[in-house]
Amino acid sequence: MTGAGLRVYDTAEELAAAAAGLFADLAAAEVEAKGVFTAALSGGSTPGMTYDALAGPDRAGRVPWQGVHLFWGDERCVGPDDPESNFAMARERLISRVDIPGENIHRMRGEDHPAASARRYEEELTGFFTSLGPPGSAPGTGVPALDLVFLGLGADCHTLSLFPGTAALEETERLVVENYIPRLGSWRLTMTPRLVGAAGSAVFLVSGGGKAEALVRALGGGEGDCPARLIRSSRLDPDNDWPLWLVDRAAARLL
Ligand code: 6PG
């Protein structure tokens, strides 16, 4: 395993606390340095505990929410009040509990036509980062540079909505795409590896024994189609821990 950092925590709660602490520390540093902190939230169930920890009394006060801008790494093609919505989960567990301005929330419009919504999101994201000036893009790539991208890992080695065998895995130019997932019989919106690769930090949050085999494949190479392995830094100045894997002991049981 090269170029990636791995930190193993005894419990899912400790993993969530560490992820929340990392978010809070990065946010404080980036808002102090450049007045803004941009983060893409992951979907699924794992990050919910991290959002709870982040909204909790001992952390929310440390985060300069006025300067924090939230994006989404992916979204299901449903409305913002649908129980399946990644935005709805983040609104319930985090956004509704902290003092972040509404204009700082950049949700993917899952309720719109997938192709149009993907293009609209890419335009909104690109426009936002262009407005930031030079710090807005990754050195050497010209691609919008999020400060932090949280990522999950599926048992089939998918991340974001980059599922094995789907069209989005082949995308090398666009930053946000619509992606049909045959196994689910549904459309998704997802950031592409090109966009994530420009981020300052990419942090996988992996919890539970059901992810153990996928984690081995994602970290060690191994056989087969593992979309999580497409997440690689394209920056000229990547951190040593890029990507950083925050996992619990159950997920790490086969390492
Ligand atoms: C989604 C996520 C997806 C998720 C993994 C893990 O929209 O579902 O973006 O990539 O991170 O499926 O999901 P769990 O955390 O629920 O196991």
Side-chain angles (χ1 to χ4, degrees):
M1 180 187 66
T2 57
L6 173 68
R7 298 175 193 171
V8 182
Y9 299 89
D10 286 335
T11 65
E13 290 75 13
E14 289 177 16
L15 162 56
L22 183 149
F23 181 108
D25 292 345
L26 267 179
E30 292 300 328
V31 170
E32 171 72 24
K34 64 181 195 288
V36 67
F37 172 68
T38 57
L41 299 183
S42 177
S45 57
T46 301
M49 291 175 73
T50 294
Y51 302 160
D52 289 339
L54 201 46
D58 60 344
R59 253 187 214 88
R62 276 174 42 201
V63 180
W65 291 107
Q66 297 300 312
V68 174
H69 284 259
L70 297 178
F71 297 82
W72 272 259
D74 71 322
E75 186 55 280
R76 291 83 182 278
C77 286
V78 295
D81 299 319
D82 189 299
E84 282 295 303
S85 163
N86 289 334
F87 165 78
M89 190 271 275
R91 178 178 55 192
E92 178 190 347
R93 310 284 286 271
L94 175 60
I95 294 167
S96 61
R97 301 166 60 192
V98 297
D99 186 23
I100 184 169
E103 62 269 22
N104 291 19
I105 307 299
H106 308 272
R107 75 175 180 92
M108 291 178 165
R109 292 178 57 87
E111 66 270 34
D112 292 347
H113 184 282
S117 195
R119 291 196 183 283
R120 171 175 174 169
Y121 199 72
E122 178 163 334
E123 287 166 8
E124 176 187 338
L125 185 138
T126 305
F128 176 82
F129 280 88
T130 302
S131 73
L132 295 181
S137 61
T141 71
V143 176
L146 286 146
D147 290 313
L148 169 64
V149 178
F150 272 147
L151 297 154
L153 181 69
D156 61 356
C157 232
H158 82 262
T159 191
L160 299 167
S161 285
L162 304 170
F163 286 78
T166 60
L169 302 187
E170 309 307 320
E171 180 57 53
T172 58
E173 291 304 314
R174 292 175 62 189
L175 306 177
V176 181
V177 294
E178 69 282 5
N179 195 28
Y180 183 71
I181 320 299
R183 179 165 67 84
L184 303 177
S186 62
W187 285 91
R188 295 279 190 98
L189 302 172
T190 187
M191 289 185 176
T192 61
R194 182 168 185 242
L195 177 55
V196 178
S201 295
V203 180
F204 281 91
L205 310 178
V206 188
S207 173
K211 305 293 178 72
E213 289 182 12
L215 186 58
V216 169
R217 289 172 58 204
L219 292 179
E223 297 305 313
D225 188 4
C226 179
R229 288 210 297 269
L230 296 174
I231 303 302
R232 293 185 291 267
S233 178
S234 59
R235 294 173 64 104
L236 298 178
D237 59 349
D239 287 345
N240 289 332
D241 289 347
W242 203 118
L244 176 63
W245 293 84
L246 305 186
V247 309
D248 66 12
R249 198 156 298 288
R253 64 184 168 84
L254 299 178
L255 295 184

